[in-house]
Amino acid sequence: MLLVQVTYTMLPGKRDEFLKRVRETGILSAIRGEEGCLGYSYYLPEEEDGTLLLLERWSGAQAQKAHMATPHMAQMAQMKPEYISGTQIVSWETED
């Protein structure tokens, strides 16, 4: 299994708007329906309004690589600059 932790630094006041748009455009549902997606969840640090945490679980690196090549991820990449000022990614593989 491949685990990916993404920490977004949000533009001021844009976190909720970003999450709403990801849901309304169908991007979130499309990602969760991808082959090999075992989990894709956003978390909101209560004391950090400018931070958004994303935890992804994939069956393996190939599934995550295929995910990055989908049309809905291209759509996501185009809209991120409106909401996100920085991104930190940490990933690791497990045997589970």
Side-chain angles (χ1 to χ4, degrees):
M1 178 176 9
L2 177 69
L3 302 171
V4 181
Q5 175 185 309
V6 183
T7 303
Y8 293 117
T9 301
M10 306 303 294
L11 293 170
K14 294 291 189 173
R15 185 172 72 181
D16 291 342
E17 188 179 328
F18 171 75
L19 290 169
K20 180 179 177 183
R21 188 164 174 199
V22 170
R23 282 190 305 270
E24 289 179 349
T25 58
I27 292 172
L28 187 55
S29 294
I31 293 168
R32 289 177 173 163
E34 289 179 40
E35 186 173 336
C37 181
L38 304 175
Y40 196 93
S41 300
Y42 289 103
Y43 295 89
L44 312 175
E46 183 178 331
E47 40 307 302
E48 298 176 36
D49 185 44
T51 302
L52 177 62
L53 180 63
L54 168 61
L55 296 179
E56 304 178 30
R57 291 185 306 124
W58 297 94
S59 59
Q62 287 300 105
Q64 202 272 340
K65 184 177 178 180
H67 155 70
M68 294 305 294
T70 61
H72 51 268
M73 286 307 292
Q75 181 183 4
M76 174 90 83
Q78 289 180 352
M79 61 186 243
K80 279 183 178 179
E82 297 177 45
Y83 305 98
I84 297 168
S85 64
T87 304
Q88 294 179 341
I89 301 172
V90 177
S91 63
W92 62 98
E93 291 191 63
T94 70
E95 294 188 28
D96 295 322

